[in-house]
Amino acid sequence: MRVHSPGCIVGAVLWGLAAAGCMPSHRMTPDPAPARTCPETSASSWYFPEDAGDNQRLEEWCATVGPVVRKTIPDGRFGSLDPGDSLTVVAWNVAVGSGDVLGFLHAEMGLTCSGASSELRAGSPHFALLVQEAFRSSPDVPESYNDRATPRQVPEKKRPGERLDAVDVAERCGLSLAYVAAARNGSEPRDGMREDKGVAIVSTLRLSDIIGIELPYEAARRVAVAATLHARNGGSLRVVSVHLISMAPPARILTTGNGSRLRQGLALVDALHQAEIARSGTDSTSSGPASTVLAGDFNTWSDRETTLRRLREHFPDSPPPLGKGTHGTFPTDHILFRESDAAESPRLIEESYTRIENRYHSDHHAIRATVLFSE
């Protein structure tokens, strides 16, 4: 009879506990818990986890960051999105200040940044850039911080060009902006200014229906931001920028069955479903959900990961996985799509889904796809 070592037995027990672990609730609500004081909800629409334990930790993290930034109308000379026009949707983790966003916008999007005189190169379509690890450098970031809820400042590689935060980029390039901070970027100021980091949407189009989504707490506070873009003929597209958790600590794995990313992904789906109900005023599916792009850094290790497979069930019109790494060899970044049943619904052109080879000094490749609006 083979005798197993104590280490093997303990490992087997821990694996069994993780596999059988009951994942905490992923349900979301538009109503903040009674003890929540942050974020400020009078000026923005938000969705929150229902779980009381989540809210206790999320409150600590939220209190260290600044408010939502909303610049709904672009200043640049971009014109309208007309019937038959296409829109380029890009997802990119810019590694805080490492990514050369201005260089990227000029070379990949055909954008000349000159404030209110900013314009697209002839033949370049409108775009929506969905950013992860965006940052803000501002006195609006609170002076006080909580050590337990303040991650270390993200180290950045030296690169040519200016280091501009999300607000600076939107102003410099005449773009609309929705920025939602998830966490502080270190406790100490950088260049004399406090910083936070999160997700953002910058676009050549007007943004409406901006929604912040605070995901269930898993090792750190993570958020998503959603906004709606409109074509001149009434067609619309909801875009969602998200950054899911990378890895939960061992104790958390035991309580969730290693389902941290899955829980956040399902919570995001639930929040977007509730937003659709609020938009249509009914739980009926007769009008169908809005056409939606969900994109960002999912932190997935494989194209076959459960979280990604489950999300694809809710976004059935998504292009096939790229089959390429976007963060080293790992396929962490994805663009998913769900098409509306409406006659004027835009559609994603499957073959347009590609990886941008130049990383522009970030540690992630950007990915892009083309969405065509009906005539």
Side-chain angles (χ1 to χ4, degrees):
M1 181 177 71
R2 182 179 179 183
V3 178
H4 296 282
S5 70
C8 291
I9 294 172
V10 171
V13 171
L14 291 177
W15 184 91
L17 287 171
C22 293
M23 186 171 68
S25 172
H26 65 270
R27 297 300 178 188
M28 301 288 281
T29 174
D31 303 314
R36 294 297 301 270
T37 62
C38 175
E40 173 58 51
T41 58
S42 62
S44 303
S45 295
W46 277 89
Y47 286 88
F48 308 90
E50 287 186 347
D51 186 85
D54 286 331
N55 279 283
Q56 182 177 356
R57 294 306 310 275
L58 291 169
E59 173 74 9
E60 294 177 355
W61 285 68
C62 183
T64 70
V65 304
V68 173
V69 178
R70 300 158 50 100
K71 180 190 173 191
T72 58
I73 300 175
D75 301 324
R77 300 172 178 173
F78 305 127
S80 61
L81 184 67
D82 293 325
D85 283 352
S86 62
L87 170 77
T88 301
V89 178
V90 180
W92 189 26
N93 182 320
V94 299
V96 188
S98 292
D100 179 9
V101 179
L102 290 186
F104 178 92
L105 291 173
H106 179 74
E108 302 294 340
M109 301 291 100
L111 179 65
T112 297
C113 292
S114 185
S117 299
S118 297
E119 56 186 359
L120 291 166
R121 189 165 53 235
S124 297
H126 282 279
F127 68 83
L129 173 60
L130 280 53
V131 187
Q132 300 79 52
E133 290 195 18
F135 80 99
R136 168 187 37 200
S137 179
S138 170
D140 291 336
V141 178
E143 288 188 39
S144 60
Y145 64 90
N146 180 334
D147 284 328
R148 195 169 73 144
T150 302
R152 288 177 292 180
Q153 193 171 83
V154 175
E156 299 174 13
K157 298 177 182 178
K158 290 185 178 181
R159 62 165 179 83
E162 296 179 83
R163 182 182 187 267
L164 299 178
D165 71 6
V167 179
D168 290 331
V169 169
E171 292 294 334
R172 178 79 63 88
C173 299
L175 301 169
S176 57
L177 168 69
Y179 169 80
V180 177
R184 202 180 186 96
N185 185 29
S187 58
E188 298 300 320
R190 182 184 178 116
D191 299 327
M193 196 68 71
R194 298 180 295 275
E195 292 187 356
D196 55 23
K197 59 182 180 177
V199 291
I201 299 168
V202 289
S203 180
T204 53
L205 295 170
R206 180 176 64 89
L207 303 179
S208 68
D209 306 318
I210 295 172
I211 301 170
I213 301 171
E214 192 177 52
L215 300 176
Y217 181 83
E218 300 286 349
R221 183 173 182 256
R222 293 296 170 95
V223 296
V225 61
T228 302
L229 312 173
H230 301 271
R232 196 161 56 86
N233 69 338
S236 64
L237 177 71
R238 172 168 279 164
V239 292
V240 187
S241 177
V242 65
H243 190 185
L244 300 182
I245 195 71
S246 55
M247 185 177 294
R252 193 62 179 168
I253 291 174
L254 288 177
T255 61
T256 64
N258 201 22
S260 293
R261 266 193 301 282
L262 177 59
R263 183 176 178 234
Q264 290 186 337
L266 293 176
L268 182 58
V269 168
D270 188 54
L272 292 174
H273 174 66
Q274 293 190 48
E276 288 297 330
I277 295 174
R279 178 182 66 91
S280 62
T282 175
D283 199 8
S284 169
T285 58
S286 59
S287 61
S291 291
T292 303
V293 168
L294 169 62
D297 181 358
F298 292 24
N299 268 310
T300 46
W301 293 41
S302 164
D303 288 329
R304 298 182 298 277
E305 189 172 304
T306 300
T307 302
L308 189 58
R309 290 192 286 108
R310 291 292 300 276
L311 285 171
R312 284 181 170 277
E313 293 173 4
H314 296 278
F315 291 82
D317 305 301
S318 301
L322 288 171
K324 298 179 179 180
T326 54
H327 181 49
T329 61
F330 297 111
T332 58
D333 306 86
H334 304 275
I335 293 178
L336 305 182
F337 183 62
R338 179 182 63 208
E339 187 174 338
S340 170
D341 294 331
E344 70 278 7
S345 173
R347 61 184 180 88
L348 188 144
I349 301 174
E350 186 175 296
E351 57 270 23
S352 70
Y353 185 33
T354 56
R355 182 183 77 172
I356 295 174
E357 296 306 313
N358 189 337
R359 291 183 302 169
Y360 292 88
H361 304 284
S362 176
D363 56 355
H364 284 246
H365 290 274
I367 52 178
R368 67 173 147 201
T370 298
V371 175
L372 182 65
F373 281 72
S374 61
E375 297 191 38

